[in-house]
Amino acid sequence: MSVASPCVNVCRMSTITGWCEGCYRTIDEIRAWRRLDDDGKQTILEVIEDRRREIASGRFAPAGGPA
């Protein structure tokens, strides 16, 4: 099985979060994607889902900012 990339062709890095505004990956996660096995890719997808929930719930606070 091959895990599909979460890329949605909105490639813009947020200066607040450090995540891509389209797929919620960090630049390091984007760079590593092709080298990862399916388990590694699935782990990133789970982290991305946590990030989406954090943003949607309003709990996100940038590093160094108020919680």
Side-chain angles (χ1 to χ4, degrees):
M1 179 184 151
S2 182
V3 177
S5 170
C7 180
V8 294
N9 294 316
V10 178
C11 304
R12 187 173 49 241
M13 300 307 288
S14 167
T15 58
I16 297 170
T17 64
W19 307 332
C20 172
E21 293 178 6
C23 69
Y24 293 90
R25 291 181 291 175
T26 65
I27 195 69
D28 290 339
E29 291 166 343
I30 293 167
R31 286 182 183 143
W33 187 263
R34 290 185 184 192
R35 296 186 311 271
L36 292 171
D37 62 12
D38 284 349
D39 288 338
K41 290 176 181 179
Q42 192 60 45
T43 298
I44 289 177
L45 292 177
E46 291 167 10
V47 170
I48 289 169
E49 188 56 36
D50 290 342
R51 289 173 184 159
R52 285 185 177 139
R53 279 194 293 268
E54 189 175 352
I55 293 284
S57 72
R59 291 178 311 188
F60 176 76

